Amino acid sequence: MPSLPERRTAALVLAAGGSRRLGRPKQLLPYGNGVLLDAVLGTARASGFDQIVLALGGAADAVRRSVDTSGCDVVDNPAYTDGCSSSIAAAVPALHPRTEAVVLLLGDQPGVTPATVHTLLAARGDAPLAVCRYDDGVGHPFAFHRSLFPLLAHLHGDKAVWKLLEQRAADVTEVAVPGRVPRDVDTEDDYRQVLAELRSTP
């Protein structure tokens, strides 16, 4: 009896931002027992992905010195000032050739949990695109079937992923996830808020 094809999943962690609005590397902001990026990579590791691809750009050398990137395939994005899509384009070629789906995780969004990732992957079925529908709107993480990898590899612009969701609306599956959209850190106020949320977590 022929074996079933391997269904590999990968995380693509976007952590290349230059932190222009914040004025200091947000990847390295103290958070919990480590820094912000440690928390996101902890979620990726706990989610059971077959591969974790980590895109670095701004503050890449400092991140390598300070953050445990073991188990990650690290790619450099020299065009990081062009926005998140440039990191996606840089990372897609590093995916294992048998990867069936990739999940985008933002390196400045520590509130995403392994439970959310598991819910997204369990409910996406074979949908080309799957997104999380929180109580207050759509948010990350997003999952993409391998059929869309060529499109991901040629994205341009900071909001290109959201534009792709609009263009392929008929292909998008929304997965219900309880709670509010996890906050990402762009400003000092955002940082204060995620720290407050961390302290209030039981």
Side-chain angles (χ1 to χ4, degrees):
M1 187 173 176
S3 60
L4 293 174
E6 188 177 9
R7 294 171 66 91
R8 294 176 61 96
T9 58
L12 202 171
V13 181
L14 306 180
S19 306
R20 179 175 49 84
R21 279 180 281 179
L22 190 67
R24 53 183 172 144
K26 56 187 174 181
Q27 303 95 321
L28 301 178
L29 292 173
Y31 184 85
N33 295 322
V35 297
L36 215 62
L37 184 54
D38 286 320
V40 177
L41 291 179
T43 291
R45 292 184 179 108
S47 297
F49 289 105
D50 298 293
Q51 181 185 21
I52 300 171
V53 180
L54 171 62
L56 298 179
D61 290 340
V63 169
R64 282 186 167 89
R65 289 193 300 268
S66 305
V67 176
D68 177 11
T69 61
S70 60
C72 301
D73 293 320
V74 181
V75 298
D76 287 300
N77 173 22
Y80 66 89
T81 56
D82 292 339
C84 286
S85 61
S86 63
S87 291
I88 298 170
V92 167
L95 292 171
H96 187 283
R98 289 199 296 275
T99 300
E100 190 257 347
V102 66
V103 174
L104 298 187
L105 295 174
L106 304 185
D108 63 349
Q109 195 177 47
V112 172
T113 66
T116 297
V117 174
H118 292 155
T119 298
L120 177 68
L121 289 173
R124 63 171 286 271
D126 291 318
L129 282 158
V131 300
C132 295
R133 166 61 72 176
Y134 296 94
D135 296 343
D136 58 342
V138 169
H140 285 277
F142 299 158
F144 296 85
H145 184 263
R146 63 176 295 110
S147 60
L148 294 180
F149 291 178
L151 284 178
L152 294 178
H154 292 92
L155 291 178
H156 296 283
D158 198 33
K159 298 296 183 183
V161 170
W162 289 93
K163 292 175 183 174
L164 178 60
L165 295 181
E166 293 174 4
Q167 294 164 1
R168 303 294 294 264
D171 296 326
V172 175
T173 291
E174 294 189 354
V175 176
V177 177
R180 298 176 63 82
V181 175
R183 186 184 300 271
D184 57 332
V185 177
D186 289 320
T187 66
E188 291 289 351
D189 184 60
D190 293 332
Y191 180 43
R192 286 190 291 270
Q193 292 287 340
V194 297
L195 289 179
E197 290 165 4
L198 178 64
R199 289 192 294 268
S200 66
T201 301

